[in-house]
Coordinates of all heavy atoms in Angstrom, one line a residue:
L1486 N 3.4 6.5 -3.8 CA 4.0 7.0 -2.5 C 4.9 6.0 -1.9 O 5.9 6.3 -1.3 CB 3.0 7.6 -1.6 CG 2.3 8.9 -2.0 CD1 1.2 9.3 -0.9 CD2 3.3 10.0 -2.1
V1489 N 8.1 5.8 -3.9 CA 9.0 7.0 -3.7 C 9.6 7.0 -2.2 O 10.8 7.3 -2.0 CB 8.3 8.3 -3.9 CG1 9.2 9.5 -3.6 CG2 7.8 8.3 -5.4
F1490 N 8.7 6.6 -1.3 CA 9.2 6.5 0.1 C 9.0 5.1 0.7 O 8.2 4.8 1.5 CB 8.3 7.5 1.0 CG 8.3 8.9 0.5 CD1 7.2 9.4 -0.1 CD2 9.5 9.7 0.5 CE1 7.2 10.8 -0.6 CE2 9.5 11.0 0.1 CZ 8.3 11.5 -0.5
L1525 N 10.6 18.8 7.7 CA 10.8 18.2 6.4 C 10.8 16.7 6.4 O 10.1 16.0 5.7 CB 12.1 18.7 5.7 CG 12.4 18.3 4.3 CD1 11.5 19.0 3.3 CD2 13.9 18.7 4.0
F1527 N 9.4 15.0 8.8 CA 8.0 14.6 9.2 C 7.1 14.5 8.0 O 6.3 13.5 8.0 CB 7.4 15.6 10.2 CG 6.0 15.2 10.7 CD1 5.9 14.3 11.6 CD2 4.9 15.8 10.1 CE1 4.6 13.9 12.1 CE2 3.7 15.4 10.5 CZ 3.5 14.4 11.5
I1528 N 7.3 15.4 7.0 CA 6.5 15.3 5.8 C 6.8 13.9 5.1 O 5.9 13.2 4.6 CB 6.7 16.5 4.9 CG1 6.2 17.7 5.5 CG2 6.1 16.3 3.5 CD1 6.7 19.0 4.8
I1529 N 8.1 13.6 5.0 CA 8.5 12.3 4.4 C 7.9 11.1 5.2 O 7.4 10.2 4.6 CB 10.0 12.2 4.4 CG1 10.6 13.3 3.4 CG2 10.5 10.8 3.9 CD1 12.1 13.4 3.5
F1530 N 7.9 11.2 6.5 CA 7.3 10.2 7.3 C 5.8 10.0 7.1 O 5.3 8.9 6.9 CB 7.5 10.5 8.8 CG 6.6 9.8 9.7 CD1 6.6 8.4 10.0 CD2 5.6 10.5 10.4 CE1 5.7 7.8 10.8 CE2 4.7 9.9 11.2 CZ 4.7 8.6 11.4
F1531 N 5.1 11.2 7.0 CA 3.7 11.2 6.8 C 3.3 10.6 5.4 O 2.4 9.7 5.3 CB 3.1 12.6 7.0 CG 1.6 12.7 6.8 CD1 0.8 12.3 7.8 CD2 1.1 13.1 5.6 CE1 -0.6 12.3 7.7 CE2 -0.3 13.2 5.5 CZ -1.1 12.8 6.5
A1532 N 4.0 11.1 4.4 CA 3.7 10.6 3.0 C 4.0 9.1 2.9 O 3.3 8.3 2.3 CB 4.5 11.4 2.0
G1533 N 5.2 8.7 3.4 CA 5.6 7.3 3.3 C 4.7 6.4 4.1 O 4.4 5.3 3.7
L1535 N 1.5 6.9 4.7 CA 0.3 6.7 3.9 C 0.4 5.7 2.8 O -0.4 4.7 2.7 CB -0.2 8.0 3.3 CG -1.0 9.0 4.1 CD1 -1.2 10.3 3.3 CD2 -2.3 8.4 4.6
D1561 N -2.8 9.2 -6.8 CA -1.5 9.1 -6.3 C -0.5 10.1 -6.9 O 0.3 10.7 -6.2 CB -0.9 7.7 -6.6 CG -1.1 6.7 -5.5 OD1 -1.9 7.0 -4.5 OD2 -0.5 5.6 -5.5
D1562 N -0.7 10.4 -8.2 CA 0.1 11.4 -8.8 C -0.1 12.8 -8.2 O 0.8 13.6 -8.0 CB -0.2 11.5 -10.3 CG 0.2 10.2 -11.1 OD1 1.1 9.5 -10.6 OD2 -0.4 9.9 -12.1
L1563 N -1.4 13.1 -7.9 CA -1.7 14.4 -7.3 C -1.1 14.5 -5.9 O -0.6 15.5 -5.5 CB -3.2 14.6 -7.2 CG -3.9 14.7 -8.6 CD1 -5.4 14.7 -8.4 CD2 -3.5 16.0 -9.3
L1564 N -1.2 13.4 -5.1 CA -0.6 13.4 -3.8 C 0.9 13.6 -3.8 O 1.5 14.3 -3.0 CB -1.0 12.1 -3.0 CG -2.4 12.0 -2.5 CD1 -2.7 10.6 -2.0 CD2 -2.7 13.0 -1.4
L1565 N 1.5 12.9 -4.8 CA 2.9 13.0 -4.9 C 3.3 14.4 -5.3 O 4.3 15.0 -4.8 CB 3.5 12.0 -5.9 CG 5.0 12.0 -6.2 CD1 5.7 11.6 -4.9 CD2 5.3 10.9 -7.2
A1566 N 2.5 15.0 -6.2 CA 2.8 16.4 -6.6 C 2.7 17.4 -5.5 O 3.5 18.3 -5.3 CB 1.9 16.8 -7.8
I1567 N 1.7 17.2 -4.6 CA 1.5 18.0 -3.4 C 2.7 17.9 -2.5 O 3.3 18.9 -2.0 CB 0.2 17.7 -2.7 CG1 -1.0 18.1 -3.6 CG2 0.1 18.4 -1.4 CD1 -2.3 17.6 -3.1
V1568 N 3.1 16.6 -2.2 CA 4.2 16.4 -1.3 C 5.5 16.9 -1.9 O 6.3 17.6 -1.2 CB 4.4 14.8 -1.0 CG1 5.7 14.5 -0.3 CG2 3.2 14.3 -0.2
S1569 N 5.7 16.7 -3.2 CA 6.9 17.3 -3.8 C 7.0 18.8 -3.8 O 8.0 19.4 -3.5 CB 7.0 16.8 -5.3 OG 7.0 15.4 -5.4
A1570 N 5.8 19.4 -3.9 CA 5.7 20.9 -3.9 C 6.1 21.4 -2.5 O 6.8 22.4 -2.3 CB 4.4 21.4 -4.3
I1571 N 5.6 20.7 -1.5 CA 5.8 21.1 -0.1 C 7.3 20.9 0.2 O 8.0 21.8 0.8 CB 5.0 20.3 0.9 CG1 3.5 20.7 0.7 CG2 5.4 20.6 2.3 CD1 2.5 19.8 1.5
L1572 N 7.9 19.7 -0.2 CA 9.3 19.5 0.1 C 10.1 20.5 -0.6 O 11.1 21.0 -0.1 CB 9.6 18.0 -0.3 CG 9.0 16.9 0.5 CD1 9.4 15.6 -0.1 CD2 9.5 17.0 1.9
G1573 N 9.8 20.7 -1.9 CA 10.6 21.7 -2.7 C 10.5 23.1 -2.1 O 11.5 23.8 -2.1
G1574 N 9.3 23.5 -1.6 CA 9.2 24.8 -0.9 C 10.1 24.9 0.3 O 10.7 25.9 0.5
V1575 N 10.1 23.9 1.1 CA 10.9 23.9 2.3 C 12.4 23.9 2.0 O 13.1 24.7 2.6 CB 10.6 22.7 3.2 CG1 11.5 22.6 4.4 CG2 9.1 22.7 3.7
V1576 N 12.8 23.1 1.0 CA 14.2 23.1 0.6 C 14.6 24.5 0.1 O 15.7 25.0 0.4 CB 14.5 22.0 -0.4 CG1 15.9 22.2 -1.0 CG2 14.3 20.6 0.2

Side-chain angles (χ1 to χ4, degrees):
L1486 289 179
V1489 176
F1490 305 110
L1525 185 68
F1527 180 80
I1528 294 169
I1529 294 173
F1530 158 72
F1531 181 77
L1535 277 178
D1561 265 13
D1562 294 335
L1563 294 171
L1564 285 172
L1565 182 59
I1567 292 170
V1568 171
S1569 299
I1571 294 172
L1572 292 176
V1575 173
V1576 170

